[in-house]
Amino acid sequence: MTSTTAPAPALAKTAVKTGKLRRDRLPLGRQLLLQLICIGILITVLFPIMWVVSMSLDPLSRSRPEGLNLIPANPTLEAYAQVIQQPTNNPVSFLELAKNSFIIACTSSLFSVLIGVSAAYAFSRLHFRGRSVLMLVILGVLMLPAVATLTPLFVMLNKIVVTLPVIGEFNLRNSLMGVILAIISGLLPFAIWNLKGYLDTIPRELEEAASVDGATTNQTFFKIILPLATPALAVTAFLGFVSGWTEFYFSWMFLTKPQDFTLAMALYAMQGQFTSTPWSLFAAFAILVAIPPAVVYFFAQRWITSGLAIGAVKG
Amino acid sequence: MTAAAPAAAVKPRRRWAGLAGGGGGGRVSRVAYLYLVPAFLVMGIITLYPLLYQVWMSFTDYGVQNLRETAPPPAWVGLDNYVNVLTSALAIPNFDFLRIILYNLVWAFSNVIIHVVLGVAIAVLLNTRGLWFRRFYRAMYILPVVIPPIIVATVWRAMYDAQDGAVNLMLSGVGVLFRIPPDFFQIDWLRQVEDPIAFIPLPLAFYAMLITNTWLGWPLNAVVATGALQSIPNELYEAAEIDGASSWQKFRNITMAYLRPAMLPYAIYGFVITFNLFHLSYFMSQGGPFGRTEQLVTQAYRLVNEQQLYGVGAAFCVIMFFILLAITLVTNWLTKATATYNL
């Protein structure tokens, strides 16, 4: 590949110039046809999004949208106001739900990244007995969907009941902490694997220089690898955060106390009450939940794809 | 900790170095285990031990009655759970193990093929030189990817509503132009029982979710394809032009040749993701009609969450593990077999 791109510089320059001249001109008819196709695709991409946005502006008195309108008749933000106050029949506000989701998402992603990066370093740079076997273990767990550990974790965490002085009886299964543990169980292998993939791409020259200067493994890790891996750490943490922010399986299965409920649980509950709640409430809620990760993702997209060694977190 | 590191550095154990394979400077370090301890301690407790515990559970009749701390241990039932799952002899409605696996495979295959073809086609379209607003289109087309999947699934379920869903409203809007009465478009996309295509035994909900997942899935394929397209040196096309190649020949012999090694691993990865996709089936069709769009993951969740059959659910998950293992081995073999493909 490199051999084809290395002719004499002067020759290459002229080639690029003529190429540009010839290729940049697109006949007008063709241009218009392609524009038509592109706009068609754009409409299909935007259609569901516009529909939800428009629906969220419906007044609460209208239980379902009146046809397809970009801006509905009498648009209002009252659905947002209602949803922020109390989205479902449970006496929980949007902020309380968001707080629980935020705690789950932050804790699980931070723990996974912090624990994961040291293991990733060992797998990427150090030699030890059993390396390939342990790596297979990680890959094997990574391959499993989250539902694979659901049953045993539910049963095991359910057995851990402590009587605490202030709170009273505390069941680990029926708590945010239990959900966080279950999420880390799936997130940690992803963090290790993704970070290892990124560390593998960091050139070794710096470490070799450091080791010539007598740096130990620990010094290399803390002073060279960790600073260089910051983008990958941030991206891995962000992806973990997004998956925790809308996590459904474990929270829905584990949590029964309304004060522990999360955004995803409320969304599912609202969908179950489709016949009784106005759709504008559901639309406003969906938008509020989607906006924080979507905005970060949209603007940091280039940065995210470059720090991502494998695909996505398992759902 | 720090004392161990130089010792390992000075006294390399050569006989391990060969076994270790890959990695850094070719010396064995004992300090490596210290770096692994936190991760494997955590994984051991909350991942590996539960997985083993699940194997034990799968041989028992673990149920709600065994959940309490003081409850007696569940009875040992041997291979009963496995036999009941594999022969579809569970006492729950609409459970057919073979149908679930077949549906799951069809679902994953059909999605991936459509995603890859559409992704490549649109990437090629956007790669046309001189096309106006290319960057704008690229930025907008990525929107489905940035929305959390659970939102996508719930919103699309509302879109497919028979009476007020956007899909039926749009169709009747278009239908008016062709003098089709609006009542014609009262399609119950996710619950209609009759198959839309007589000779393909798949319910309408399958096609509806296929459309949703296509909306969701092609943009990332287009991103991957765009990356590969931009790595193709212009000189190749120019040389081909000089040799008098037609556009089809150029597409086949240059574009496709460069796209293949990039798209194939991504297609395989997409297959596994789609195979295990939970949100669409669970939130949109809810497995219906009559459990015909149930996938392995959603059925496993239902067994545990709704039926509270923990023992059966455990056996189901163990079986699912072996199915996924088989798929992983096949796909790994495929990736390796195609990795040697050279330009």
Side-chain angles (χ1 to χ4, degrees):
Chain A
M1 218 165 91
T2 38
S3 61
T4 55
T5 53
L11 215 75
K13 220 172 196 173
T14 51
V16 165
K17 245 182 197 162
T18 52
K20 219 173 185 172
L21 276 176
R22 192 151 22 91
R23 239 182 276 276
D24 269 3
R25 253 183 296 131
L26 201 60
L28 190 66
R30 217 178 139 81
Q31 173 80 268
L32 291 178
L33 178 74
L34 294 184
Q35 287 297 330
L36 217 61
I37 299 175
C38 283
I39 291 169
I41 298 169
L42 188 64
I43 290 171
T44 67
V45 167
L46 291 181
F47 181 61
I49 301 171
M50 301 310 269
W51 184 63
V52 176
V53 172
S54 126
M55 201 159 66
S56 74
L57 299 174
D58 271 341
L60 285 175
S61 53
R62 199 178 292 158
S63 76
R64 304 210 166 182
E66 290 171 345
L68 293 177
N69 304 309
L70 199 57
I71 295 167
N74 316 319
T76 154
L77 290 177
E78 57 188 37
Y80 287 91
Q82 169 69 42
V83 132
I84 285 171
Q85 219 168 45
Q86 189 188 338
T88 56
N89 292 337
N90 287 312
V92 196
S93 74
F94 181 84
L95 276 185
E96 284 169 282
L97 295 168
K99 189 192 81 190
N100 290 334
S101 286
F102 189 79
I103 292 173
I104 288 177
C106 268
T107 322
S108 52
S109 92
L110 274 185
F111 262 93
S112 311
V113 169
L114 290 182
I115 302 170
V117 70
S118 86
Y121 174 63
F123 280 127
S124 172
R125 291 298 201 267
L126 305 176
H127 281 230
F128 52 90
R129 199 172 211 176
R131 182 174 176 274
S132 36
V133 175
L134 290 180
M135 241 155 74
L136 269 183
V137 170
I138 306 265
L139 253 187
V141 177
L142 194 60
M143 175 199 84
L144 290 174
V147 84
T149 48
L150 179 78
T151 327
L153 279 175
F154 178 80
V155 170
M156 287 166 63
L157 294 176
N158 194 53
K159 291 222 165 102
I160 302 175
V161 182
V162 201
T163 312
L164 294 170
V166 187
I167 316 165
E169 199 171 79
F170 172 81
N171 184 348
L172 186 57
R173 187 264 305 167
N174 198 355
S175 73
L176 290 184
M177 211 195 292
V179 174
I180 290 169
L181 283 176
I183 293 177
I184 292 177
S185 146
L187 207 51
L188 184 56
F190 163 78
I192 296 175
W193 200 254
N194 191 43
L195 290 170
K196 178 202 172 282
Y198 186 82
L199 294 185
D200 284 347
T201 66
I202 297 179
R204 289 161 204 280
E205 280 79 11
L206 279 175
E207 291 152 73
E208 279 157 16
S211 102
V212 167
D213 290 344
T216 64
T217 311
N218 292 331
Q219 286 170 329
T220 316
F221 176 64
F222 285 108
K223 301 223 164 112
I224 297 174
I225 293 293
L226 272 190
L228 284 177
T230 316
L233 291 176
V235 169
T236 314
F238 169 71
L239 291 173
F241 179 89
V242 172
S243 79
W245 178 248
T246 52
E247 200 281 334
F248 175 78
Y249 325 78
F250 291 117
S251 352
W252 187 254
M253 175 96 188
F254 286 11
L255 304 172
T256 55
K257 290 176 289 185
Q259 72 264 29
D260 286 339
F261 284 178
T262 65
L263 293 170
M265 291 169 76
L267 190 74
Y268 187 58
M270 288 177 93
Q271 204 200 31
Q273 301 159 352
F274 250 7
T275 40
S276 55
T277 42
W279 281 16
S280 51
L281 278 185
F282 162 77
F285 189 74
I287 289 171
L288 289 179
V289 174
I291 275 187
V295 167
V296 177
Y297 214 131
F298 190 77
F299 288 104
Q301 185 201 333
R302 189 164 288 249
W303 200 59
I304 286 168
T305 35
S306 70
L308 187 65
I310 65 167
V313 190
K314 60 181 161 198
Chain B
M1 205 161 106
T2 36
V10 174
K11 255 203 290 178
R13 293 204 173 171
R14 287 279 167 223
R15 70 196 165 91
W16 287 358
L19 286 172
R27 54 178 203 228
V28 173
S29 110
R30 246 173 287 161
V31 104
Y33 296 112
L34 286 176
Y35 281 87
L36 293 170
V37 162
F40 276 90
L41 201 68
V42 171
M43 272 183 69
I45 297 171
I46 60 176
T47 313
L48 302 174
Y49 177 66
L51 286 174
L52 291 177
Y53 191 82
Q54 169 152 276
V55 174
W56 170 77
M57 279 176 77
S58 71
F59 294 109
T60 69
D61 69 345
Y62 213 115
V64 203
Q65 71 278 5
N66 308 102
L67 276 182
R68 271 176 304 115
E69 209 186 348
T70 50
W76 184 267
V77 295
L79 287 171
D80 279 9
N81 291 334
Y82 289 93
V83 172
N84 287 342
V85 168
L86 291 173
T87 58
S88 309
L90 296 177
I92 58 170
N94 304 319
F95 182 86
D96 181 346
F97 189 69
L98 193 67
R99 188 205 59 215
I100 296 174
I101 291 192
L102 281 179
Y103 172 79
N104 212 157
L105 285 170
V106 169
W107 163 255
F109 266 115
S110 47
N111 271 292
V112 168
I113 292 169
I114 295 178
H115 296 179
V116 170
V117 170
L118 260 185
V120 167
I122 295 172
V124 169
L125 168 71
L126 282 187
N127 214 40
T128 314
R129 273 150 215 281
L131 184 76
W132 300 331
F133 319 121
R134 281 203 301 183
R135 295 184 64 180
F136 169 75
Y137 290 130
R138 277 203 185 119
M140 297 310 279
Y141 288 178
I142 205 71
L143 275 172
V145 179
V146 309
I147 302 168
I150 188 171
I151 307 274
V152 172
T154 46
V155 165
W156 274 86
R157 187 190 141 179
M159 300 231 330
Y160 282 126
D161 187 85
Q163 293 206 322
D164 303 291
V167 174
N168 279 347
L169 286 181
M170 186 195 65
L171 287 178
S172 48
V174 176
V176 166
L177 303 177
F178 299 94
R179 301 232 176 97
I180 304 172
D183 334 343
F184 182 79
F185 297 103
Q186 294 272 332
I187 308 166
D188 201 352
W189 289 91
L190 298 170
R191 277 178 298 194
Q192 183 182 303
V193 178
E194 306 90 62
D195 299 342
I197 303 175
F199 55 92
I200 302 176
L202 287 165
L204 186 59
F206 164 80
Y207 300 97
M209 290 193 290
L210 189 66
I211 292 172
T212 303
N213 203 33
T214 301
W215 181 81
L216 188 61
W218 72 259
L220 267 188
N221 278 276
V223 169
V224 175
T226 303
L229 284 176
Q230 289 174 342
S231 76
I232 306 179
N234 265 330
E235 287 81 354
L236 284 184
Y237 289 109
E238 280 158 18
E241 248 160 59
I242 292 168
D243 290 345
S246 69
S247 350
W248 170 246
Q249 280 173 322
K250 277 188 285 179
F251 180 75
R252 235 190 76 111
N253 296 324
I254 304 174
T255 315
M256 289 300 278
Y258 267 85
L259 280 178
R260 220 186 105 151
M263 292 312 288
L264 209 89
Y266 192 75
I268 289 171
Y269 166 77
F271 180 86
V272 176
I273 291 287
T274 316
F275 191 86
N276 289 330
L277 198 71
F278 176 86
H279 290 97
L280 295 198
S281 171
Y282 194 81
F283 293 106
M284 289 179 66
S285 71
Q286 304 181 296
F290 302 116
R292 290 178 62 201
T293 55
E294 207 74 82
Q295 289 167 222
L296 285 171
V297 278
T298 53
Q299 185 65 65
Y301 195 76
R302 262 177 235 287
L303 283 175
V304 181
N305 188 45
E306 284 165 21
Q307 312 284 339
Q308 303 189 306
L309 297 168
Y310 303 114
V312 177
F316 192 90
C317 283
V318 173
I319 295 171
M320 195 167 80
F321 169 79
F322 284 105
I323 295 169
L324 290 174
L325 187 68
I327 290 177
T328 311
L329 290 178
V330 171
T331 52
N332 264 359
W333 171 79
L334 264 178
T335 324
K336 272 201 191 117
T338 48
T340 47
Y341 181 91
N342 276 320
L343 294 169

